Amino acid sequence: MGQAEPATESSWQTPPTPGWPALRGLMPANVRIGSAVDGKLLATDERYRSELAAQFNAVTAENAMKWVNLEPSPGVYDWSESDQVVKFAQANGQAVYGHTLLWHSSVPAWVSESWPRERIRELLRQHITTVVSRYRGKIWAWDVVNEVLAEDGSLRDSLWLRKLGPGYIADAFRWAHEADPDARLFINDYGTEGRGRKANGLLRLVRELRMAGVPVHGVGFQSHLRWDRAPEDATGNLRRFAALGVSVAITELDVRIQLPVDAEKLLDQALLYQHMLKACLAVSTCESVTLWGFTDTSSWISSHYPGFGAACVFDSDIRPKPAHEALVQELTSRRGTPPG
Ligand code: 9MR
């Protein structure tokens, strides 16, 4: 008597999403809407989980599938967080976008550039084969190579380029294709969503790979934007990639704001989110639009861009911002409109 009820699971679980529309229910049938997933929040925050499930029909592990996290010491894989993401997605009818098999920035520290070329090549082959095989049939698309271009559109100077030469890109795609012939294979980069030197370089590279019969199926445009700058002709740019016969996807969309946030900046941000959604949907081969996180609680922006923040479509209390509303409005107004 007089004692508080013990906390039961149902007493601390939050109710299902309150009354705002779900993006996933509004997308054209052939285009997915995704979010990057923060493994820690997925494991600990019920409100995060329920909004993630309600809004999106695709997920990308923000960090869990990066090589540095999967294989902390040679030959010892830790699948726990990436398996959790896949399990969650399966339970919620979401497709998984795999990120990423090869990235200069996520090479485990135990990989040494002093090793002979053949050893490094074999290591890369094994890594790609191991990861893609584990999730064969469970991952719809892979970012096979991430950020392989320099700002001028030439190949980025990296361990892979230095040790293996430019052929490492084609090799990575072929190995991934062998391990899961049904997975869609993407090349992903940033700063390529608008026209410019880097996008031109990417276009050349994708054309060359396709002409050489390399299984490149899609191009991912990360789209880490700032609120006051739209990419140069995103629609036209995406269309010239589609003309090569590949799919296009917006893979990491976020729109950072210089703090402090105000109503006008939030509106500009909303317009830019809408603009990128429209740009992709204007292209007949647009496969997905993925947000790089959906809540301001967990975005990478504040640690990488001091003085900036609030880059997502939900605030840190997981309530929709004008950007969410703009996406909803755009999708609602297009319903019944044929794609492309
Ligand atoms: O959002 C990711 C952040 O949590 C990580 O610390 C960082 C380094 O692994 O990577 C961030 O995600 C990047 C993505 O994997 C590739 N494109 C750029 C993204 C933002 O830096």
Side-chain angles (χ1 to χ4, degrees), residues 62 83 123 143 166 174-175 204 211 239 245 255 263 266 285 304 318 326 340:
E62 185 169 354
D83 280 358
L123 180 76
D143 278 337
R174 292 197 174 107
W175 292 327
R204 276 195 303 274
M211 279 172 64
R239 280 200 173 126
V255 180
L266 286 173
T285 67
H304 287 70
I318 319 195

Side-chain angles (χ1 to χ4, degrees), residues 93-294:
Q94 296 167 315
V96 181
Y97 189 102
H99 174 81
T100 169
L101 298 171
L102 185 159
W103 184 26
H104 65 276
S105 179
S106 76
V107 185
W110 50 262
V111 176
S112 165
E113 191 158 353
S114 66
W115 292 348
R117 175 184 196 277
E118 271 318 305
R119 180 168 175 191
I120 293 208
R121 189 165 185 271
E122 180 53 20
L123 180 76
L124 183 59
R125 191 191 65 75
Q126 268 182 22
H127 172 70
I128 291 177
T129 306
T130 303
V131 179
V132 177
S133 305
R134 179 179 182 89
Y135 294 118
R136 182 175 173 151
K138 296 182 179 164
I139 290 208
W140 135 65
W142 274 106
D143 278 337
V144 176
V145 298
N146 191 41
E147 302 175 9
V148 297
L149 290 172
E151 297 314 298
D152 67 357
S154 64
L155 290 184
R156 176 192 287 274
D157 181 30
S158 70
L159 164 74
W160 314 114
L161 185 65
R162 288 191 297 271
K163 293 299 285 198
L164 308 178
Y168 80 90
I169 297 176
D171 283 343
F173 277 94
R174 292 197 174 107
W175 292 327
H177 188 59
E178 269 166 38
D180 185 352
D182 294 326
R184 309 276 303 152
L185 303 181
F186 277 70
I187 179 170
N188 191 46
D189 218 316
Y190 66 88
T192 48
E193 39 284 327
R195 290 182 189 270
R197 281 198 307 169
K198 194 172 182 183
N200 293 345
L202 183 59
L203 190 74
R204 276 195 303 274
L205 175 59
V206 174
R207 187 185 292 125
E208 279 167 22
L209 291 168
R210 300 270 302 172
M211 279 172 64
V214 178
V216 179
H217 308 126
V219 180
F221 299 86
Q222 294 185 9
S223 311
H224 294 293
L225 307 177
R226 36 183 294 162
W227 91 105
D228 57 348
R229 269 183 222 162
E232 180 72 32
D233 185 20
T235 307
N237 187 46
L238 264 54
R239 280 200 173 126
R240 61 189 185 139
F241 283 88
L244 299 179
V246 289
S247 293
V248 297
I250 304 292
T251 49
E252 305 184 13
L253 178 58
D254 56 18
V255 180
R256 60 186 180 275
I257 289 177
Q258 189 158 28
L259 303 173
V261 173
D262 63 32
E264 201 181 324
K265 289 178 183 171
L266 286 173
L267 193 60
D268 288 345
Q269 177 186 55
L271 291 173
L272 210 38
Y273 266 102
Q274 183 186 30
H275 180 74
M276 293 310 288
L277 174 67
K278 269 173 109 155
C280 200
L281 294 181
V283 180
S284 59
T285 67
C286 171
E287 226 166 290
S288 60
V289 175
T290 296
L291 314 185
W292 206 239
F294 67 95

Side-chain angles (χ1 to χ4, degrees), residues 46-124:
E46 173 55 28
R47 285 184 63 213
Y48 178 86
R49 278 196 292 274
S50 79
E51 200 63 54
L52 179 65
Q55 292 290 330
F56 303 99
N57 57 14
V59 291
T60 304
E62 185 169 354
N63 290 306
M65 292 184 188
K66 290 173 183 170
W67 192 351
V68 67
N69 298 326
L70 281 182
E71 197 181 359
S73 44
V76 184
Y77 276 81
D78 175 1
W79 302 106
S80 49
E81 197 177 304
S82 60
D83 280 358
Q84 277 308 109
V85 173
V86 173
K87 214 170 121 192
F88 179 86
Q90 288 177 335
N92 291 290
Q94 296 167 315
V96 181
Y97 189 102
H99 174 81
T100 169
L101 298 171
L102 185 159
W103 184 26
H104 65 276
S105 179
S106 76
V107 185
W110 50 262
V111 176
S112 165
E113 191 158 353
S114 66
W115 292 348
R117 175 184 196 277
E118 271 318 305
R119 180 168 175 191
I120 293 208
R121 189 165 185 271
E122 180 53 20
L123 180 76
L124 183 59

